Amino acid sequence: MTRTEVFLINKTAILVHLFLRVLVSFTAVFLIYYISSLTFLEHCSTKFVPENAQKLLISDHPVDEALKVLYDNEISFYAASGEDTTAIAFYGEQLHPPIIEGRFFQEGDFFKSQFLAVIGQNLKSSIDTSLGYPSIQINHTAYRVIGIVGTSIDTPINNCIYYNLDSMTNKDIIYLGGLNRNKVESAVHYLQNSFDIKLIDDPISGINR
């Protein structure tokens, strides 16, 4: 075998190696993007209510009173109730939909006797400004719109309404979740020690039952 042939073989081997490395890298990036996209769409389908949320029935006290116990004791949680409109309250770091205008809820927005809402981009036409600020009607009550969320593709987020859970009445069922499963279990146990709480179903399976 001549030196030229050896050189060509080595060159070919190097090119094949480089090609395989690029292919593997591209495949890895594609898989990461694909998995991230699926995760994002899953979050959108549940309106970003944590997938580990447990469905609870609180029968002996108002829901907002029970959740305020968690809030006042700085116990991380994310609570939600409702389907067409979603009442929420949370403490600690949580996920939220993409913001288009304004902002999403913050910890300080809850249990302050406020009526606040974040709406999907398809509902912008429902905003009323006659009160001197942007508002939307929820259960015949005006809620100040503090933010607009949405996605570039059609998802439930574009038509959702979030409002602060502590403003609602006559509710006794909530979904309680969070970013950390252990913290969710701690929050549930904390509530069970103070209130008459029943787990509607188990195992944990998120808001879409």
Side-chain angles (χ1 to χ4, degrees):
M1 183 178 296
T2 65
R3 295 178 63 182
T4 301
E5 290 174 329
V6 172
F7 172 77
L8 290 175
I9 291 174
N10 290 337
K11 183 177 180 181
T12 301
I14 292 173
L15 290 175
V16 170
H17 178 71
L18 290 174
F19 172 76
L20 291 175
R21 290 189 63 179
V22 170
L23 180 61
V24 170
S25 298
F26 176 79
T27 302
V29 171
F30 174 78
L31 286 175
I32 292 173
Y33 173 78
Y34 179 72
I35 292 172
S36 298
S37 298
L38 287 180
T39 301
F40 176 75
L41 290 175
E42 183 178 347
H43 286 321
C44 289
S45 70
T46 61
K47 299 181 183 177
F48 280 76
V49 175
E51 62 181 8
N52 59 16
Q54 295 197 52
K55 193 174 184 181
L56 307 178
L57 170 65
I58 303 177
S59 57
D60 65 337
H61 284 77
V63 166
D64 61 326
E65 181 179 326
L67 294 178
K68 194 172 187 302
V69 171
L70 297 179
Y71 188 86
D72 290 343
N73 285 276
E74 301 182 354
I75 298 174
S76 180
F77 73 93
Y78 185 108
S81 180
E83 295 181 1
D84 296 332
T85 60
T86 304
I88 64 170
F90 60 81
Y91 185 88
E93 183 180 0
Q94 307 293 340
L95 297 177
H96 63 73
I99 296 293
I100 295 177
E101 298 178 28
R103 64 176 179 84
F104 198 66
F105 284 93
Q106 301 170 351
E107 291 177 358
D109 293 325
F110 305 111
F111 308 107
K112 300 289 175 58
S113 299
Q114 302 182 96
F115 295 86
L116 305 177
V118 174
I119 66 174
Q121 60 183 351
N122 290 349
L123 302 180
K124 290 177 67 174
S125 60
S126 301
I127 292 178
D128 178 19
T129 58
S130 62
L131 297 176
Y133 57 85
S135 66
I136 191 168
Q137 289 288 319
I138 304 174
N139 299 327
H140 308 293
T141 300
Y143 281 69
R144 180 189 294 270
V145 176
I146 60 173
I148 297 174
V149 296
T151 57
S152 58
I153 58 176
D154 186 24
T155 69
I157 295 300
N158 294 334
N159 295 291
C160 72
I161 297 178
Y162 294 96
Y163 63 104
N164 51 309
L165 187 149
D166 52 291
S167 69
M168 71 180 191
T169 57
N170 301 323
K171 298 288 186 180
D172 54 9
I173 293 179
I174 60 170
Y175 293 91
L176 188 69
L179 292 180
N180 184 290
R181 178 167 181 167
N182 291 331
K183 290 183 178 180
V184 174
E185 293 177 350
S186 295
V188 172
H189 291 158
Y190 194 93
L191 288 177
Q192 287 176 321
N193 289 332
S194 304
F195 303 95
D196 181 15
I197 292 178
K198 177 183 177 182
L199 296 180
I200 300 300
D201 66 350
D202 208 23
I204 297 172
S205 56
I207 193 170
N208 284 346
R209 306 302 199 204

